[in-house]
Amino acid sequence: MRLAKNVKFREEKFGGVLFETRSEKVYTLTPTAAAVVKQVAEGRTPGEIAPALAQRFEADGTTIEREVKAFLAELAEKGLVED
Amino acid sequence: MNDAAASEALAAPLYVAWQITNECNLACLHCIEESGPGKAFSDELDREGALRVVDELMANEVPYLSFSGGEPMLHPHFFEMVERVTSRGSQLKVETNGHYLTPENCARLKALEVKAVQVSLDGATSATFGRMRVRGEFDRTLQGIRNLVAADVPVEINFSPARFNIHEAGRIVDLAYELGAASFYSGRTMFTGNAVKAWRHLEVEDADYVKYFETLAAKRDEYRGRMRVSYHEAGLLEELRYRLHHPAALLIILPNGLVKLINALPFVCGDLRRESLADVWANFRRAWHDPRVATFIDELAADPGATRGLHKWVRV
């Protein structure tokens, strides 16, 4: 999985932004969402992302895995990530 | 995940529209920049200055830029600037009149991975095109578009309506599709720049605009899934009133490095020859709250012709 061709990610103090340059649509991201997108941008697989975030945020692995999966599905549905 | 970003909260702009030169081979009736042959600013950024600005934009992770003019492909360091942007991972759109889109130049734009090239096509026939785009060559522009498509560079067609070409609205969208464009865009022609002198030839009646946008709405539906048809229906005043409270995360850089608040206002909020991007961006966000900005917009409601003075810059 990677960011779609026309999508750019930038970290911000509040989390981050995803900019879809074809439609010029901007999405703001919470710190947690930005952490997920950063992992995608760095080339991590969905299977690698949840454990890394569970460790970083000291959260329950099962909950994180479920939330990451749902968030990645939302990104895919909006065409912001692609396989 | 929210589909909005307040520019106030961002560390840098998301989009930079850079008018890299005011020089142009054409002298269009409606040109808001008053560009034309011999119209380059005397103080335009030199190579070193322009590349320094590019580097600063890239260092601040500005994800999306456009190069316009004048005619940007007349800039002596155009391709070097393009390469400097795209090699650093930002996306770039080039806005051109299409007269320099030779097969060789299109191949270079493809190799440099520009996101898209926007070509102005203000007529579906040589007669209307030539009336708007003084010194322009219709067939050469069409060939330029075909060269882009052959090189697999995404093409966006931009159309500016006037009283003598607005009846071609449907035909121009069809032509864009036949040429292989990925998208078509239009809006209202502004009363500023060259248009002030030519307004009696350009001005579109409100009733004609209503029909125009109805036509574009129908074309948007007709081409859905095949070519994106988009248009900005709002008038200038409506747009400015919205922007006053919701500034876009967009900086407009002039050929000499000055930075405008928004194209349709005379206010300059920075100078990239002397100030860092961070300082200009901070001032951009502050400047939208300057009372002179709101006052100018209020006065525009009483005197829509005040846009004739947009080139008399006011530092805020």
Side-chain angles (χ1 to χ4, degrees):
Chain A
M1 182 174 277
R2 60 181 177 228
L3 292 181
K5 191 180 170 194
N6 287 320
V7 174
K8 293 289 172 187
F9 167 67
R10 188 172 76 198
E11 286 186 282
E12 295 283 346
K13 276 185 186 167
F14 57 80
V17 284
L18 274 175
F19 188 19
E20 205 286 287
T21 60
R22 190 167 169 270
S23 61
E24 298 183 6
K25 201 164 186 178
V26 179
Y27 300 89
T28 58
L29 304 172
T30 63
T32 316
V36 174
V37 173
K38 190 179 179 194
Q39 300 260 330
V40 172
E42 288 173 352
R44 302 246 160 56
T45 65
E48 293 170 329
I49 294 173
L53 293 186
Q55 190 175 21
R56 177 176 161 186
F57 292 104
E58 295 178 354
D60 173 63
T62 310
T63 308
I64 283 276
E65 189 177 348
R66 189 175 62 240
E67 290 178 353
V68 166
K69 201 173 169 185
F71 181 56
L72 292 176
E74 185 187 350
L75 292 174
E77 188 188 323
K78 292 180 188 296
L80 300 170
V81 294
E82 60 192 17
D83 289 319
Chain B
M1 189 164 64
N2 298 314
D3 60 350
S7 57
E8 300 266 349
L10 297 168
L14 290 173
Y15 179 27
V16 165
W18 188 350
Q19 185 196 347
I20 62 174
T21 180
N22 207 50
E23 182 66 24
C24 193
N25 50 315
L26 310 187
C28 301
L29 281 190
H30 65 310
C31 182
I32 62 170
E33 312 297 354
E34 299 181 358
S35 302
K39 293 288 186 74
F41 294 176
S42 59
D43 59 349
E44 292 194 357
L45 294 173
D46 59 12
R47 175 179 175 275
E48 187 185 330
L51 294 179
R52 191 185 54 72
V53 170
V54 172
D55 288 344
E56 197 168 11
L57 296 173
M58 297 302 98
N60 282 274
E61 296 183 62
V62 174
Y64 186 30
L65 286 82
S66 64
F67 284 171
S68 66
E71 171 47 52
M73 295 184 75
L74 284 175
H75 191 287
H77 306 291
F78 170 74
F79 278 108
E80 188 176 10
M81 291 169 69
V82 170
E83 194 271 339
R84 197 93 158 205
V85 171
T86 57
S87 67
R88 297 277 295 270
S90 286
Q91 297 200 336
L92 178 72
K93 179 162 83 169
V94 176
E95 300 178 3
T96 173
N97 60 39
H99 283 58
Y100 299 98
L101 294 170
T102 60
E104 295 74 23
N105 282 342
C106 293
R108 285 184 83 178
L109 292 167
K110 175 64 181 176
L112 291 170
E113 298 185 84
V114 298
K115 173 189 166 272
V117 174
Q118 177 185 298
V119 183
S120 299
L121 191 63
D122 298 324
T125 62
S126 181
T128 49
F129 178 92
R131 191 163 176 197
M132 184 74 116
R133 305 194 74 78
V134 178
R135 295 170 177 245
E137 297 172 43
F138 183 64
D139 291 339
R140 185 170 163 183
T141 306
L142 296 190
Q143 189 56 50
I145 294 167
R146 291 189 185 102
N147 292 341
L148 283 172
V149 172
D152 194 27
V153 178
V155 178
E156 300 180 10
I157 299 293
N158 189 76
F159 175 76
S160 294
R163 64 170 61 206
F164 56 80
N165 68 3
I166 198 163
H167 64 283
E168 294 180 341
R171 176 70 195 115
I172 192 76
V173 179
D174 295 340
L175 178 59
Y177 181 72
E178 287 160 22
L179 288 166
S183 66
F184 173 93
Y185 176 79
S186 188
R188 293 171 189 257
T189 297
M190 274 177 65
F191 179 73
T192 191
N194 287 351
V196 172
K197 284 174 277 185
W199 198 241
R200 69 182 189 283
H201 304 296
L202 296 170
E203 186 177 17
V204 173
E205 301 293 335
D206 287 344
D208 290 332
Y209 264 131
V210 170
K211 279 190 274 183
Y212 177 62
F213 290 118
E214 285 172 358
T215 301
L216 293 185
K219 287 294 177 186
R220 181 188 57 200
D221 294 341
E222 181 184 340
Y223 285 105
R224 195 180 303 279
R226 295 184 291 160
M227 178 179 75
R228 180 186 169 91
V229 176
S230 57
Y231 50 89
H232 198 70
E233 204 169 343
L236 181 61
L237 190 60
E238 192 181 341
E239 170 75 12
L240 289 174
R241 281 177 168 155
Y242 178 79
R243 288 292 162 213
L244 187 61
H245 301 290
H246 308 89
L250 159 69
L251 287 189
I252 294 175
I253 305 179
L254 300 178
N256 55 9
L258 293 179
V259 178
K260 282 191 82 177
L261 208 50
I262 191 171
N263 229 351
L265 289 174
F267 302 108
V268 165
C269 62
D271 182 349
L272 287 169
R273 292 170 299 193
R274 297 175 181 83
E275 299 163 85
S276 69
L277 180 68
D279 286 345
V280 172
W281 180 240
N283 198 46
F284 168 90
R285 289 177 289 169
R286 187 199 56 75
W288 275 103
H289 302 291
D290 188 304
R292 287 173 290 179
V293 176
T295 300
F296 185 91
I297 294 171
D298 285 342
E299 287 173 358
L300 209 52
D303 174 19
T307 51
R308 67 170 62 85
L310 292 185
H311 296 280
K312 293 172 187 158
W313 302 322
V314 178
R315 176 73 201 224
V316 286

